[in-house]
Amino acid sequence: MGTLSRLTPHLKDSLAAGLLAGLLALPMLGFRLVDSAQGLSLDYRFTWVAIAAATVFTGRLILLQAGDAIRRRPSQRSASTQPQAGRPNKLRPILGWLFIAGALVLPWAPLADRNLLDKATLLLIYVMLGWGLNVVVGLAGLLDLGYVAFYAVGAYSYALLSQNFGLSFWICLPLAGLFSASFGMLLGFPVLRLRGDYLAIVTLGFGEIVRVVLLNWQVVTGGPNGVSGIQRPSFFGLPFLATAPGKTTFHEFFGLPFSPDHRIVFLYYLILVLALVTNLFTLRIRRLPIGRAWEALREDETACRSLGIDPTKTKLSAFAIGAMFAGFAGSFFATRQGFISPESFSFLESAIILAIVVLGGLGSQIGIVLSAFLLVGLPEWFRDLQQYRMLAFGGAMVLIMLWRPRGLLSNREPTIRLASAPSRVAQTAEDSV
Amino acid sequence: MASDSLPLLAVEHLTMRFGGLFAVNDLSFTAYQKEITAIIGPNGAGKTTVFNCLTGFYKPSVGRLSLTPPDDGAPHLLERMDGFRIAKVAKVARTFQNIRLFTGMSVLENLMVAQHNKLMRASVYSVAGLLGLRRFRNQERQSLEIAKYWLDKIDLSDQADWSAGNLPYGSQRRLEIARAMCTEPVLLCLDEPAAGLNPRESLQLNDLLLDIRRDQNIGILLIEHDMSVVMNISDHIIVLDHGAMIADGTPVAIRSDPTVIRAYLGAADDEDLPPEVTGDLRPAATSGVR
């Protein structure tokens, strides 16, 4: 009885929607001009109109019913999204170790080919960028829409340093991080007083400024032509080449037959290590006073000041550290591609990285891996579907925000626990997902 | 107030102007070590403005706020310091009228964040912390002990790992006081700590504040409307009205001060007041609580 009475308004609503769709479809789908030998003639397609109306009617009905089903649950859900107490989440670290183990053996897996490793490398770049941005957005709560600028600074630092001064990748990597971190500070200073929307706009502007400078400073950056012929990485001095005059190559040194896959595997492991270092660093610094101060600043800046925390230093350090990791990722990007141009550092990249962090659940490291896979990995694999993948991309984002408005994995694990504290409220199964 | 304690905070000619409005007008008073000084007055009298000037959220238009640390160092001139440095260097801690906890963080984390500066120094730009050096680990253990002491004091040890936003209102109030105490202040400014508490919780608060006065070598400055708190625990009461001080004295003296009663009740003549009102400020005060 209850279902029926709820169904009636839904039915009415759906009927109205179907009728409206029919009316709209009538001129658009119902008539068709046919250009034939006898001139123009009108063709009637009322079945099309009927199909459109019926689709909208059933679709609307299903949506309404599904909406009810979802709405009936939030009472339990909202209570459980904030763990009151609790036992440390055991499942999360296990999931993390599984990811790492899987990533380590991936190049040796039977299905792994060059293509797969290339895609996995790309995915890991985004994971690393997501983890880096997570420091700024997830921990310190500073909405940064220009993160790709630091990525660009890192990439160009490596490209230009190695081209003009012949420095090797391993020397350039820390330098690129340092440059990006300085740019982070540079951006940080003027925006210290801004919060939320205003901060987002200024960082957006900063990202564009960097891109426009790269595009127009022809003498140094090569403008729209970019920098090409960037030195490829070597295995600590051993190049990945078939032959190298005057040098021992990687395959000669290890007595292997030459294969171009060596470089692919090396690049894959390189970004894996870089990403894991980023992760380890973030996890550790979260438990240090500076990390707690970032999170406190995100929660309440006024209270922070009343406790003697310097908001300037705290914000700048978050900007600098987030930017540093983007710089590392940028120089890796440059050495992997061998060619960079301002096109690679458009606003869309910033938006994707931010989407990865937000969809993953602000502050959640594994959530970022999952959402990077959803937002970057899946569209790469489904390239064959062409435009539809962007449709699916948008749809997936809407769905995630409907189902998990706080991100895929949104539960925050406290940075310190009182060992003696008994767990009062058992965590629900949902929390441990 | 013939006080045998040493002066801690001297406020001289404090004036805070917002455009043409004098929120605080030429206010001078002294707060003493190991004493609870209450600031009372009708709504809009400028009490919270005084706190905001003291803790650096406002820059006073005129006046000197000098804090003499108990270890007899040079006095800090609060009116010249940045907001966060007042808490860091001069060691003035405060709570807020509308509670400002880090609600997403756990209770214990709230107390650890309050010990930020000490821990930061031990972590040496986070390097010692990242490497997990003993110097940092010892400091962290020590800070944890302080946090545990206060958790025990405010009776929240069992909820230490809860997120602070999930605590009941009264516990949040106590946690905010504990968090302020974790900064190891010399002056604690409490902005309406009893607002929204039930009578039993108010009594607990009285005990907590009296404990702090007894055990810690600090002065407490208290804004409060709840007269059961003010009259029972204050050593010394300052009454503000329209930004100016209208009375200054012991609870007993303030209770029968005609100017104070007039400010609260707006009576034309003191003789018109019924005896139950002149005897106790409570009825007037409760109307002031939100």
Side-chain angles (χ1 to χ4, degrees):
Chain A
M1 190 61 208
T3 328
L4 197 70
S5 62
R6 204 167 43 243
L7 204 60
T8 344
H10 285 181
L11 262 179
K12 268 189 205 156
D13 189 321
S14 314
L15 269 176
L19 211 66
L20 196 69
L23 273 175
L24 280 173
L26 192 67
M28 287 194 270
L29 297 175
F31 310 109
R32 182 162 166 248
L33 279 178
V34 185
D35 193 5
S36 61
Q38 288 82 31
L40 289 174
S41 67
L42 206 54
D43 184 17
Y44 303 99
R45 298 188 302 189
F46 293 121
T47 39
W48 284 49
V49 177
I51 289 170
T55 313
V56 170
F57 170 74
T58 40
R60 177 83 187 148
L61 194 63
I62 290 169
L63 260 184
L64 286 172
Q65 287 296 96
D68 255 16
I70 290 173
R71 224 163 294 127
R72 238 171 292 137
R73 282 193 300 169
S75 50
Q76 316 140 15
R77 177 162 301 185
S78 60
S80 64
T81 42
Q82 290 179 321
Q84 280 224 307
R87 289 179 297 230
N89 195 335
K90 294 246 173 57
L91 206 80
R92 202 77 73 77
I94 294 174
L95 200 62
W97 284 112
L98 275 180
F99 267 123
I100 293 172
L104 278 175
V105 301
L106 184 71
W108 316 107
L111 281 173
D113 55 2
R114 211 190 146 117
N115 190 12
L116 180 82
L117 280 185
D118 255 341
K119 280 173 181 165
T121 307
L122 184 74
L123 181 67
L124 280 173
I125 292 180
Y126 279 97
V127 169
M128 180 169 172
L129 286 171
W131 280 340
L133 183 60
N134 189 29
V135 171
V136 185
V137 179
L139 295 184
L142 304 162
L143 186 51
D144 187 351
L145 286 181
Y147 192 61
V148 81
F150 308 123
Y151 185 42
V153 168
Y156 272 88
S157 305
Y158 171 61
L160 297 176
L161 282 174
S162 89
Q163 282 217 323
N164 296 333
F165 302 102
L167 297 179
S168 82
F169 176 74
W170 295 105
I171 296 174
C172 290
L173 187 70
L175 284 179
L178 203 67
F179 281 141
S180 292
S182 339
F183 264 77
M185 301 268 256
L186 205 68
L187 165 66
F189 266 112
V191 302
L192 280 172
R193 290 161 170 276
L194 304 178
R195 287 188 70 78
D197 314 352
Y198 305 98
L199 177 69
I201 301 277
V202 175
T203 52
L204 172 69
F206 179 79
E208 284 303 289
I209 288 171
V210 168
R211 193 179 62 84
V212 170
V213 166
L214 292 178
L215 203 57
N216 289 291
W217 199 8
Q218 289 258 357
V219 194
V220 178
T221 65
N225 300 328
V227 184
S228 56
I230 301 166
Q231 196 192 342
R232 307 311 296 264
S234 58
F235 186 83
F236 304 99
L238 307 171
F240 292 96
L241 293 170
T243 50
K247 265 191 171 180
T248 324
T249 63
F250 175 77
H251 71 98
E252 284 166 3
F253 186 83
F254 286 96
L256 298 165
F258 174 74
S259 156
D261 291 350
H262 287 161
R263 176 157 66 207
I264 307 288
V265 173
F266 174 68
L267 282 174
Y268 172 78
Y269 276 122
L270 181 57
I271 186 66
L272 183 63
V273 168
L274 283 176
L276 286 179
V277 165
T278 311
N279 183 30
L280 197 72
F281 184 87
T282 315
L283 285 180
R284 243 194 114 74
I285 206 156
R286 218 189 126 221
R287 290 165 194 277
L288 293 184
I290 185 71
R292 289 200 200 106
W294 287 338
E295 290 198 78
L297 203 67
R298 177 192 65 199
E299 302 275 331
D300 195 328
E301 189 174 335
T302 306
C304 272
R305 268 190 291 158
S306 83
L307 298 175
I309 296 174
D310 183 348
T312 310
K313 272 190 200 161
T314 312
K315 278 186 191 175
L316 283 183
S317 61
F319 267 121
I321 285 172
M324 178 180 78
F325 287 120
F328 291 156
S331 56
F332 173 81
F333 176 76
T335 189
R336 171 180 179 251
Q337 301 291 102
F339 164 75
I340 48 169
S341 75
E343 261 173 61
S344 316
F345 309 106
S346 63
F347 169 66
L348 187 68
E349 295 295 309
S350 284
I352 288 181
I353 303 164
L354 185 67
I356 287 172
V357 176
V358 174
L359 285 189
L362 288 171
S364 161
Q365 299 289 93
I366 288 185
I368 285 168
V369 178
L370 289 179
S371 69
F373 185 74
L374 276 178
L375 294 186
V376 179
L378 286 187
E380 278 299 314
W381 263 278
F382 291 101
R383 239 172 218 291
D384 304 339
L385 299 176
Q386 294 180 358
Q387 306 94 313
Y388 292 105
R389 75 198 173 103
M390 286 321 278
L391 188 71
F393 177 89
M397 270 171 102
V398 171
L399 284 182
I400 292 173
M401 285 292 110
L402 274 177
W403 280 326
R404 300 203 72 98
R406 287 151 50 98
L408 289 172
L409 297 175
S410 54
N411 297 316
R412 186 178 170 279
E413 191 65 24
T415 57
I416 188 167
R417 283 179 177 278
L418 200 64
S420 59
S423 56
R424 274 285 179 86
V425 180
Q427 273 185 319
T428 53
E430 200 183 7
D431 285 335
S432 52
V433 175
Chain B
M1 325 107 267
S3 176
D4 46 338
S5 332
L6 295 165
L8 177 64
L9 171 78
V11 173
E12 291 162 86
H13 307 292
L14 174 67
T15 302
M16 184 72 216
R17 247 191 339 255
F18 296 107
L21 176 81
F22 284 78
V24 179
N25 194 0
D26 198 19
L27 174 69
S28 301
F29 69 89
T30 310
Y32 295 89
Q33 277 172 36
K34 304 199 86 166
E35 275 197 6
I36 298 179
T37 308
I39 303 180
I40 65 170
N43 284 333
K47 305 181 296 288
T48 300
T49 308
V50 172
F51 267 31
N52 283 340
C53 289
L54 276 175
T55 49
F57 286 88
Y58 296 155
K59 282 260 172 280
S61 313
V62 181
R64 163 176 287 198
L65 310 164
S66 67
L67 182 96
T68 315
D71 50 18
D72 265 347
H76 298 292
L77 297 179
L78 303 184
E79 80 277 8
R80 297 191 186 166
M81 297 170 97
D82 278 342
F84 80 93
R85 290 179 58 81
I86 289 182
K88 185 179 175 179
V89 180
K91 299 234 162 268
V92 178
R94 73 170 290 179
T95 66
F96 295 87
Q97 201 167 352
N98 43 345
I99 308 174
R100 282 181 174 274
L101 288 171
F102 306 122
T103 47
M105 301 173 80
S106 79
V107 172
L108 183 60
E109 281 175 308
N110 268 274
L111 299 183
M112 294 298 278
V113 168
Q115 305 180 53
H116 176 77
N117 287 316
K118 211 167 43 179
L119 283 163
M120 269 310 259
R121 230 169 305 149
S123 84
V124 202
Y125 300 105
S126 301
V127 177
L130 280 171
L131 299 176
L133 298 187
R134 178 169 302 146
R135 172 196 166 118
F136 174 71
R137 287 209 312 268
N138 285 345
Q139 180 60 58
E140 190 168 44
R141 205 170 307 126
Q142 197 191 325
S143 298
L144 192 62
E145 285 308 314
I146 294 175
K148 277 183 184 165
Y149 170 82
W150 285 105
L151 278 175
D152 191 46
K153 203 95 180 149
I154 60 173
D155 204 16
L156 280 181
S157 292
D158 284 351
Q159 286 97 333
D161 296 332
W162 287 31
S163 52
N166 287 346
L167 290 178
Y169 191 82
S171 306
Q172 292 196 13
R173 282 259 175 233
R174 277 178 310 182
L175 176 58
E176 208 190 11
I177 294 172
R179 188 181 67 178
M181 285 309 297
C182 276
T183 64
E184 296 172 347
V186 297
L187 176 68
L188 176 66
C189 303
L190 302 170
D191 198 346
E192 297 198 23
L197 299 188
N198 64 33
R200 205 174 59 89
E201 287 171 326
S202 287
L203 285 180
Q204 282 178 348
L205 178 76
N206 285 358
D207 291 342
L208 176 65
L209 295 184
L210 289 173
D211 273 5
I212 290 176
R213 181 180 65 172
R214 191 188 64 224
D215 301 338
Q216 316 288 328
N217 193 21
I218 69 168
I220 297 177
L221 215 53
L222 172 78
I223 291 179
E224 191 47 70
H225 282 299
D226 186 339
M227 290 303 149
S228 69
V229 174
V230 172
M231 293 299 167
N232 286 332
I233 66 171
S234 311
D235 297 296
H236 166 193
I237 297 178
I238 290 155
V239 191
L240 293 187
D241 190 24
H242 298 295
M245 185 162 76
I246 55 170
D248 180 355
T250 60
V252 182
I254 294 292
R255 202 184 283 254
S256 51
D257 189 319
T259 9
V260 175
I261 296 164
R262 196 179 302 124
Y264 266 93
L265 297 181
D269 296 302
D270 300 338
E271 303 87 78
D272 296 347
L273 290 170
E276 66 265 26
V277 175
T278 44
D280 189 0
L281 278 169
R282 261 205 100 150
T286 40
S287 68
V289 178
R290 60 191 188 100

